[in-house]
Amino acid sequence: MAWRPMLAGIAAYWEARTDGVHFSAAPIPVSCITRGADLTDEKVWVLCPVDCARRQVTIFGTSVYASVSSVCGAALHGGVISRSGQPIRVQKLPGQENYIGSFANGIKSQSLARWISSFTVSSGATTLLLLKHVHKATATSRLPPTLQHDCKVDIAFLLDGSYNIGRRRFNLQKNFISKLCVMLGIGPEGPHVGVVQASEIPKTEFYLKNFSQPKDVIFAVKEMAYRGGNTNTGKALRHTAETFFTPEMGSRRGLPRVAVIFVDGWPSDDIEDAATMARESGINVFLVSVAKPTPEELGIVQDRTFIQKAVCKDNDFFSFNMPSWFSINKYLKPLSQRLCNEDQMLCSKTCYNSVNIGFLIDGSSSVGDNNFRLVLDFIANIAKAFEISDIGSRMGAIQFTYEQKTEFDFNTHSTKDTTLAAIYGIRYLSGGTATGEAITYAAGTLFKPHKGGSRRNFLIIITDGQSYDDVKAPAVAAQNEGITIYSVGVAWAPQDDLRNMASEPKDSHTFFTREFTGMHQFEQTIIKGICKDFMESH
């Protein structure tokens, strides 16, 4: 491609201008107080923020600066950048004696008798301008998927801020995250990211809603302070699952939710319960392990299978290993490609957002108006647990006596509020009891139009007495159509009928209580049962 020689030309030009010294391909954001000693590379291209001139920066030397000096302050002092902030090139040098202080460009530097290392700064603006032209030239060429704007995902990065990682590797971790954000192409219409620091007590550093531009995210990451403490990864994941992915915090409807956990070593706490909660909440958990335990260290690891228990699915797609925090740029592209691979986000579809639940309600004369209100409370409480929307779960209801009445179907209501209002708006019919015909009617009118769809189908039957017709054959036929049946019996409902209607295993799909007031005890069990059935089917 034509732009490849251009890149080579730029590289050759700057190599000649810098005596063969190669600088990094993209500027690394730094703060106003970042010192030369804080930079790990011998030569590096950094991006200084705006208005460092207003900050109190410490500088020693003129032209050549002691490594304890602020690099952005040195660039201001040397006239390399203005107050608006620009990229600069930093070249590390050996220490010297007699750094001479001076006043230049509104910045005063101090004198220093001797220091162990030094650095110089020079302008990176021309390089940045040239690279912008290269970027424009390549905009129409085919780039890797992770560099295009078709990656739409909400990501929580759970950074390791424990004593295990230490301050130096924590900074390397932050640098890796910054580069990963650039690789992902975060933006208003692309990926949105936030960060939670995992240590003794989890801390949300910023939410999805806080920043939508790469430079803002990168500076926010740069300013994060190391916390220390135990590696309580499980606690941090639970904190993320409970508080992070909400509309108020910037989570976008219909997009995959991803949590990327970085663990240097191994967790100090149990991660399994938190990971289960995250999966059931529709969060795709990735775990990036760095510096796995050595054979000698395995004896003190609380749970050697923590990776398998943490991830969305133990299929190697959601787990990623890096041997150390050094020389890790090669991992940026493969990791970002995984995070943008929506087709592999197996945990986005959950029992809460991917089911059709039909309620088959006995409206016979033996129920009575007051007890019928309790039945409506029962089904409303089950419906409340699910994420009802045009792209989420749907509810439908049929009331039956000798005849059947569709109160509402799966296409009628696409919000939880309207669904609940419709449930409480059902009017009691009164009449006989033909449960078998009602099951056949539900299978044909409520579920058949949705056969083969992306949602899993469930039917919850509530009845209080003997049916006048056979229930077994219609129930088996419905189950053969992919409908999972839960039967809830009250008062005089025969145990044999309840078991004949219920799906296998019968014991976990059949419920009975003598009083209508006792139905509420089954609500959470049925909700969890639906989730279990859903997970097993996937």
Side-chain angles (χ1 to χ4, degrees):
M1 293 184 181
W3 52 269
R4 294 188 185 277
M6 190 186 304
L7 282 174
I10 292 173
Y13 170 77
W14 282 111
E15 186 172 350
R17 289 288 302 270
T18 56
D19 296 326
V21 173
H22 294 280
F23 288 85
S24 56
I28 299 171
V30 295
S31 68
C32 295
I33 60 174
T34 299
R35 308 171 304 165
D38 297 328
L39 304 175
T40 56
D41 295 334
E42 292 298 312
K43 48 270 181 181
V44 63
W45 188 17
V46 302
L47 181 62
C48 290
V50 176
D51 281 343
C52 284
R54 295 184 180 180
R55 301 284 298 271
Q56 185 174 355
V57 292
T58 303
I59 314 162
F60 299 94
T62 301
S63 297
V64 176
Y65 301 90
S67 62
V68 287
S69 305
S70 157
V71 293
C72 295
L76 285 166
H77 179 263
V80 173
I81 63 171
S82 65
R83 291 174 179 265
S84 61
Q86 292 171 354
I88 61 172
R89 299 193 306 278
V90 181
Q91 171 70 55
K92 287 194 175 183
L93 299 172
Q96 66 177 40
E97 297 187 6
N98 196 21
Y99 295 89
I100 299 174
S102 63
F103 183 83
N105 299 302
I107 304 293
K108 179 175 177 58
S109 69
Q110 303 177 48
S111 298
L112 187 65
R114 177 186 299 115
W115 196 249
I116 56 174
S117 57
S118 314
F119 67 87
T120 60
V121 291
S122 55
S123 174
T126 306
T127 307
L128 182 63
L129 181 61
L130 287 168
L131 286 176
K132 283 182 178 178
H133 284 299
V134 172
H135 176 74
K136 185 176 180 180
T138 60
T140 58
S141 64
R142 183 170 178 81
L143 296 175
T146 51
L147 299 180
Q148 297 180 17
H149 296 289
D150 57 358
C151 177
K152 294 183 182 295
V153 62
D154 288 341
I155 304 175
F157 289 118
L158 277 66
L159 271 59
D160 190 338
S162 67
Y163 290 140
N164 270 4
I165 193 169
R167 193 177 301 275
R168 183 189 181 200
R169 296 200 302 275
F170 179 74
N171 288 332
L172 293 173
Q173 177 184 220
K174 292 199 301 181
N175 188 33
F176 180 79
I177 293 297
S178 296
K179 293 178 180 178
L180 184 59
C181 289
V182 173
M183 177 67 75
L184 287 167
I186 59 176
E189 301 303 319
H192 288 188
V193 302
V195 173
V196 174
Q197 188 175 165
S199 54
E200 189 72 36
I201 299 174
K203 178 189 178 186
T204 301
E205 301 288 351
F206 56 91
Y207 288 100
L208 296 164
K209 69 176 183 178
N210 293 131
F211 307 109
S212 61
Q213 296 298 331
K215 61 181 180 66
D216 298 324
V217 172
I218 290 168
F219 279 122
V221 171
K222 188 71 181 178
E223 294 300 313
M224 282 172 44
Y226 170 63
R227 294 175 63 81
N230 289 324
T231 315
N232 288 333
T233 309
K235 187 182 292 185
L237 181 57
R238 178 176 291 275
H239 168 82
T240 303
E242 290 176 343
T243 66
F244 193 89
F245 293 102
T246 66
E248 296 76 16
M249 296 301 111
S251 182
R252 294 171 291 178
R253 184 177 171 186
L255 297 187
R257 301 171 177 179
V258 175
V260 186
I261 305 172
F262 290 85
V263 177
D264 188 300
W266 57 90
S268 304
D269 63 347
D270 178 69
I271 200 170
E272 185 172 12
D273 288 344
T276 300
M277 178 184 182
R279 283 192 294 271
E280 291 182 352
S281 302
I283 301 171
N284 297 274
V285 179
F286 288 76
L287 193 141
V288 180
S289 58
V290 185
K292 284 185 175 181
T294 64
E296 294 77 17
E297 293 172 327
L298 283 174
I300 59 174
V301 177
Q302 180 176 329
D303 186 352
R304 299 184 186 184
T305 62
F306 71 88
I307 295 176
Q308 294 92 319
K309 291 178 179 178
V311 293
C312 165
K313 188 172 181 62
D314 184 21
N315 61 358
D316 293 331
F317 178 79
F318 293 95
S319 55
F320 201 88
N321 176 251
M322 299 189 300
S324 74
W325 289 109
F326 302 97
S327 302
I328 54 177
N329 286 347
K330 61 186 176 184
Y331 299 113
L332 290 168
K333 184 176 178 180
L335 180 55
S336 63
Q337 286 177 328
R338 291 195 193 187
L339 300 182
C340 289
N341 192 340
E342 186 173 348
D343 291 339
Q344 295 293 324
M345 298 296 181
L346 302 178
C347 288
S348 292
K349 296 293 184 182
T350 73
C351 61
Y352 296 107
N353 65 22
S354 301
V355 294
N356 292 321
I357 301 178
F359 297 98
L360 196 55
I361 309 166
D362 186 344
S364 63
S365 57
S366 59
V367 174
D369 190 68
N370 289 336
N371 288 333
F372 191 77
R373 295 295 109 191
L374 295 175
V375 172
L376 298 185
D377 285 337
F378 171 72
I379 65 176
N381 288 337
I382 292 176
K384 286 176 185 176
F386 295 87
E387 299 172 18
I388 303 170
S389 72
D390 52 353
I391 59 173
S393 293
R394 292 298 185 94
M395 305 288 140
I398 294 172
Q399 185 179 177
F400 69 95
T401 55
Y402 282 138
E403 297 179 347
Q404 307 83 34
K405 178 186 177 184
T406 300
E407 301 289 352
F408 55 90
D409 62 25
F410 296 137
N411 294 323
T412 309
H413 301 290
S414 59
T415 68
K416 187 175 295 187
D417 288 342
T418 58
T419 300
L420 295 176
I423 290 172
Y424 284 115
I426 296 174
R427 308 184 84 172
Y428 175 48
L429 292 176
S430 187
T433 308
T435 312
E437 285 187 17
I439 295 172
T440 301
Y441 178 85
T445 62
L446 194 62
F447 290 99
K448 192 171 183 179
H450 299 272
K451 183 180 178 181
S454 60
R455 300 183 183 98
R456 175 82 184 271
N457 292 322
F458 293 87
L459 178 64
I460 301 175
I461 304 170
I462 306 103
T463 182
D464 81 327
Q466 175 80 50
S467 175
Y468 287 97
D469 59 0
D470 175 61
V471 298
K472 185 174 182 179
V476 170
Q479 291 167 31
N480 289 338
E481 293 295 313
I483 303 169
T484 302
I485 298 179
Y486 284 80
S487 61
V488 180
V490 187
W492 306 110
Q495 295 284 337
D496 288 345
D497 279 5
L498 295 175
R499 292 183 68 83
N500 285 336
M501 291 187 293
S503 293
E504 296 287 352
K506 301 291 184 180
D507 288 343
S508 60
H509 291 80
T510 305
F511 299 86
F512 178 79
T513 177
R514 286 292 179 192
E515 304 292 337
F516 281 89
T517 54
M519 289 190 301
H520 71 88
Q521 64 185 305
F522 305 140
E523 292 165 1
Q524 290 304 313
T525 305
I526 291 175
I527 292 167
K528 290 179 180 178
I530 289 172
C531 284
K532 183 179 179 182
D533 290 338
F534 180 91
M535 293 297 291
E536 288 177 352
S537 70
H538 281 65

